[in-house]
Amino acid sequence: MGVNRNLLRAKIVEKGMTIGGFADKIGVNRSTVSRWEENPDSVPLGMIRAIKETLSLSDEDVVRIFIPG
């Protein structure tokens, strides 16, 4: 199981962003975000911090999105 894609996308939409706009805001391309959705182990810790900050995620949100299971 990868990233909780539905929750991540819901949080992106809550902030009024598209996937492409979100990717731009955190400094990666859209295909990188797609790769992360399939393989959460490929998300660098620093990027998780940037995603958390950009989307104003709680610690619980981060766990629900990035820790499969």
Side-chain angles (χ1 to χ4, degrees):
M1 175 190 276
V3 168
N4 184 330
R5 181 181 306 184
N6 292 334
L7 182 55
L8 178 59
R9 289 179 182 227
K11 294 295 185 179
I12 291 168
V13 169
E14 271 180 28
K15 289 294 181 182
M17 291 183 248
T18 63
I19 299 296
F22 166 71
D24 288 342
K25 187 137 181 120
I26 62 170
V28 299
N29 61 44
R30 192 177 199 287
S31 64
T32 299
V33 175
S34 295
R35 186 173 61 247
W36 291 343
E37 290 178 327
E38 296 303 320
N39 182 8
D41 292 337
S42 69
V43 184
L45 183 57
M47 290 309 306
I48 292 174
R49 288 184 185 126
I51 292 165
K52 180 181 181 187
E53 186 174 297
T54 300
L55 298 178
S56 303
L57 299 175
S58 68
D59 291 340
E60 182 179 312
D61 289 335
V62 170
V63 169
R64 289 175 39 214
I65 292 170
F66 293 103
I67 299 178

